Amino acid sequence: METLGLLLSGFAEALTWPNLLVVALGALVGTLVGVLPGLGPTSAIAILLPLTTVLPPTQGIIMLAGIYYGAMYGGSTTAILLNIPGEVSSVPTCLDGYPLARQGRGGAALGVAAVGSFVAGSLAVVGLVLFAPFLADQAIKFGPPEYFALMVMALTVIVNLAGSSLLKALTMGVFGYLLSLVGIGPSSGMPRMNVDNSAWTGGFELVSLIIGLFAITEVLKGLEEKKTAIVSAKIKSVYPSRADLKQSFKPMLRGGVLGFFMGLLPGCSPAVSTFLSYDLEKRVSKHPEKFGQGAIEGVAAPESANNATSSAGFIPLLALGIPASPPLAILLGGLMIYGLAPGPTLFAQHGEFVWTVIASMFIGNAMLLVLNLPLVRMWAKLTQVPYGILAPIILLLSVIGAYSVRASLFDVTVAVVFGGLGWLFHKFRWPVIPFVLCFILGPLLEQSLIQSMAMSAGSPWIFFQRPISLTLMILSVLLLFFAWRLKRRTERRVVQEVGEDVDLHEH
């Protein structure tokens, strides 16, 4: 009952006009980002993160969350109409969505994707209400050794964010951690690794790094690929029929439940759950031969799993401070910028903020359904916007955003330099999310290690003598193994479907 009361108070706050406005704006911008080829939720959050800092923390995070799940829905538009999966998680949607579009049923496929996203997203948010406070209550018992073990478990996410090479991911993680050491040391209070440059004493600004590695890199990638608009399939009927919805209802539920539980696993990407959901639906279908030819269930199941996994990822993020996907890693950075450390104390110290954000996700999912079904034709037209128009706008917003945080040209320089590095990382397939994750978590890991060593007079056995920290260490090993197995299986499946080696976390 206490949880219900807190949720109702969150709804009371979320239903105020300023919060409703940012929910709607976030959902619309997210859908737009998902629709436009070449952009994705990670790049969008990186571009808009500095702009949301002018808002209060609650409204800023509500908008970023809306951009995230809105973009996850919007990605289905290019997958269905253009046969272009903006994210690897949209590959299964292409398999039946594009054949449906070629048959003149693109509107029905987009409608089913919208309804499935709403159903699964709502189920996942209900799970968020039930699971996250429980995890946070248990985690309130944490001390420095438990926090250290938790950070170690969070870093196991690197395996699933590794892309094509675990060695490259680990190297990038070390690079990110070393860069986080620049500035004032947490124990000594003295400058370190500042190369006798006063600009380096304050350390590297997270927003500048994110803008460079994602937003500016995205522009450079687009220029190199010479992106142009692609004419999409014609849409005859905008809304799915009653028969389509009836045929899709059970796949939506199955995909939503599967996606939710997969999303609880730290580091399990939506790409994994969408392929598993598509496989499951094909196995239980009475007509598996229709899959790949335009089966509406082949759109409903993976799209539901996609949205459920994305929403469920907020549970380990808010309760434990573990981001389950690249966009949530950027969102973790946003929380830190606002001074809201996600993890065990977030629910206790900032309960009103947490429950308002959760309530806004219910509202945002409903808004996505109400707003996007009538706008299907408009989204289809936007897939034809030339990239030559988008690139200068993205670049301008990036420079303004990098400068605005500390009013420093040094931060703009950092963004530009890391934009060039990000392009090189992309070109040679070095994953950037492990770098960002270790840059964010590195100082927390270092501080909890120093405190733990002080408690134990320098003995590392303290991490294995306390029940919670020992459990987390064992879970870290198990998650590493499980994530590696899932990653290899999903990569093999992507290669089978698209005929090439695809990086699961290229975006």
Side-chain angles (χ1 to χ4, degrees):
M1 291 301 292
E2 181 185 359
T3 300
L4 181 60
L6 291 169
L7 180 62
L8 289 175
S9 67
F11 268 108
E13 185 65 26
L15 288 170
T16 59
W17 280 111
N19 287 337
L20 280 175
L21 183 62
V22 294
V23 170
L25 190 58
L28 276 174
V29 170
T31 307
L32 174 63
V33 163
V35 166
L36 293 171
L39 288 177
T42 310
S43 301
I45 293 174
I47 293 167
L48 297 174
L49 179 59
L51 301 183
T52 60
T53 56
V54 301
L55 298 171
T58 302
Q59 293 179 7
I61 298 301
I62 284 175
M63 180 176 288
L64 292 175
I67 291 170
Y68 176 39
Y69 52 75
M72 298 309 289
Y73 162 75
S76 63
T77 303
T78 54
I80 291 169
L81 298 180
L82 305 176
N83 201 29
I84 299 175
E87 302 284 326
V88 178
S89 58
S90 297
V91 170
T93 304
C94 292
L95 301 179
D96 286 282
Y98 189 61
L100 283 168
R102 291 178 64 87
Q103 297 165 19
R105 302 191 63 219
L110 288 170
V112 165
V115 174
S117 296
F118 168 73
V119 170
S122 299
L123 285 174
V125 178
V126 170
L128 174 60
V129 170
L130 299 175
F131 278 80
F134 171 76
L135 279 178
D137 285 343
Q138 296 304 308
I140 206 74
K141 306 167 185 176
F142 283 23
E146 286 76 18
Y147 271 108
F148 177 82
L150 184 61
M151 293 302 103
V152 171
M153 190 169 78
L155 291 174
T156 63
V157 173
I158 288 177
V159 173
N160 233 11
L161 303 178
S164 56
S165 170
L166 182 58
L167 179 60
K168 288 181 177 180
L170 293 175
T171 304
M172 291 293 285
V174 171
F175 179 31
Y177 174 67
L178 291 175
L179 208 64
S180 74
L181 298 178
V182 177
I184 305 296
S187 58
S188 65
M190 298 294 291
R192 59 184 184 182
M193 297 177 65
N194 63 351
V195 297
D196 293 327
N197 188 326
S198 59
W200 288 48
T201 304
F204 288 93
E205 174 59 45
L206 176 63
V207 172
S208 299
L209 292 176
I210 289 173
I211 285 175
L213 289 171
F214 294 98
I216 296 178
T217 296
E218 199 65 47
V219 172
L220 296 176
K221 284 160 55 179
L223 294 175
E224 181 191 29
E225 296 164 10
K226 298 180 181 178
K227 290 180 180 176
T228 55
I230 305 171
V231 179
S232 59
K234 298 290 183 181
I235 293 180
K236 295 180 181 177
S237 175
V238 176
Y239 295 98
S241 66
R242 186 173 297 179
D244 288 330
L245 292 175
K246 183 179 179 181
Q247 200 172 349
S248 304
F249 184 67
K250 288 183 179 178
M252 289 176 189
L253 291 180
R254 283 190 288 264
V257 172
L258 174 65
F260 173 76
F261 284 106
M262 295 298 290
L264 293 178
L265 301 174
C268 184
S269 70
V272 175
S273 59
T274 53
F275 275 103
L276 289 178
S277 177
Y278 188 86
D279 283 340
L280 173 64
E281 214 51 48
K282 194 172 181 180
R283 291 176 190 274
V284 302
S285 175
K286 295 178 181 178
H287 303 285
E289 71 281 355
K290 291 185 178 179
F291 281 73
Q293 308 298 320
I296 199 74
E297 305 98 305
V299 173
E303 280 300 312
S304 300
N306 188 17
N307 209 281
T309 302
S310 304
S311 298
F314 281 87
I315 296 176
L317 176 70
L318 295 176
L320 301 175
I322 299 176
S325 65
L328 289 178
I330 308 301
L331 202 58
L332 171 64
L335 287 166
M336 302 294 282
I337 288 168
Y338 278 116
L340 299 166
T345 59
L346 186 63
F347 281 79
Q349 296 179 357
H350 303 283
E352 183 180 349
F353 160 79
V354 173
W355 289 105
T356 302
V357 170
I358 291 173
S360 76
M361 293 174 69
F362 277 105
I363 298 167
N365 270 291
M367 282 186 175
L368 277 175
L369 181 66
V370 173
L371 292 173
N372 284 314
L373 279 177
L375 297 177
V376 163
R377 283 197 174 95
M378 186 187 80
W379 297 133
K381 289 288 184 185
L382 284 174
T383 61
Q384 301 171 24
V385 173
Y387 191 75
I389 295 176
L390 290 177
I393 296 174
I394 294 171
L395 199 58
L396 177 63
L397 290 174
S398 299
V399 171
I400 293 172
Y403 180 80
S404 64
V405 178
R406 298 191 298 191
S408 168
L409 288 176
F410 173 73
D411 290 339
V412 177
T413 304
V414 169
V416 172
V417 169
F418 275 86
L421 287 175
W423 175 77
L424 289 173
F425 293 149
H426 165 74
K427 193 172 184 64
F428 295 101
R429 305 189 72 174
W430 286 73
V432 297
I433 289 300
F435 168 86
V436 174
L437 191 61
C438 288
F439 182 84
I440 294 171
L441 297 182
L444 303 176
L445 186 79
E446 180 187 6
Q447 187 172 4
S448 57
L449 176 63
I450 292 171
Q451 292 172 343
S452 299
M453 291 295 99
M455 289 173 60
S456 65
S459 172
W461 291 109
I462 189 172
F463 303 114
F464 305 98
Q465 292 170 343
R466 296 164 68 111
I468 296 178
S469 59
L470 175 61
T471 302
L472 290 173
M473 287 293 193
I474 294 171
L475 280 174
S476 299
V477 175
L478 294 175
L479 282 170
L480 272 173
F481 176 74
F482 184 61
W484 180 79
R485 288 290 301 272
L486 275 178
K487 179 177 178 294
R488 303 319 303 177
R489 177 179 173 179
T490 307
E491 282 179 343
R492 287 196 299 269
R493 183 59 195 277
V494 171
V495 171
Q496 290 174 6
E497 298 296 350
V498 301
E500 59 183 35
D501 186 17
V502 176
D503 190 336
L504 284 184
H505 291 279
E506 188 175 342
H507 299 287

